[in-house]
Amino acid sequence: MAEDIGTGGGAGAIGGDMGAGAFTDRMKGAGEAMQASGQKMAEGGSQVTLKMLEQAETNTCEAFAAMRSAASAKDLGDVMRIQTEFLREQGNRSMSQAREIGEMIVQFGRDAVGAVRPKQD
């Protein structure tokens, strides 16, 4: 049974004909790449969270501005116009914000994957 494992300089079946030192170096490199990828993902997650908080703040300010306008409206027609305008603007804002978050997520995904891929010469 021991004959089936291979003679890869201590690396056994996992390393094939690779020496133990080379196998260890490759594993170390893979570990470092995974660590770099994890770091990129953590940084990207923080950036997305901060962007979402910024967007929530903007949305809240816009909602309060619309409520102030509605509270000072002269008649029901004004209130309806203010609400309609707010809802239209909020819909546009939501689409833009979702697109922005999506682009950020895609970019930090690329950065994280790029940290794992070997450098091309």
Side-chain angles (χ1 to χ4, degrees), residues 26-46:
R26 288 185 79 184
M27 291 305 291
K28 182 179 177 186
E32 290 170 353
M34 291 299 289
Q35 185 177 13
S37 176
Q39 180 67 32
K40 291 283 186 186
M41 289 180 71
E43 289 170 4
S46 293

Side-chain angles (χ1 to χ4, degrees), residues 30-81:
E32 290 170 353
M34 291 299 289
Q35 185 177 13
S37 176
Q39 180 67 32
K40 291 283 186 186
M41 289 180 71
E43 289 170 4
S46 293
Q47 291 173 357
V48 168
T49 299
L50 289 173
K51 180 54 74 175
M52 290 174 73
L53 287 170
E54 178 184 311
Q55 291 175 350
E57 182 178 15
T58 298
N59 294 340
T60 301
C61 288
E62 292 297 326
F64 275 99
M67 286 189 281
R68 278 189 204 93
S69 293
S72 64
K74 304 214 182 328
D75 58 31
L76 185 59
D78 259 356
V79 172
M80 296 303 289
R81 181 189 52 77

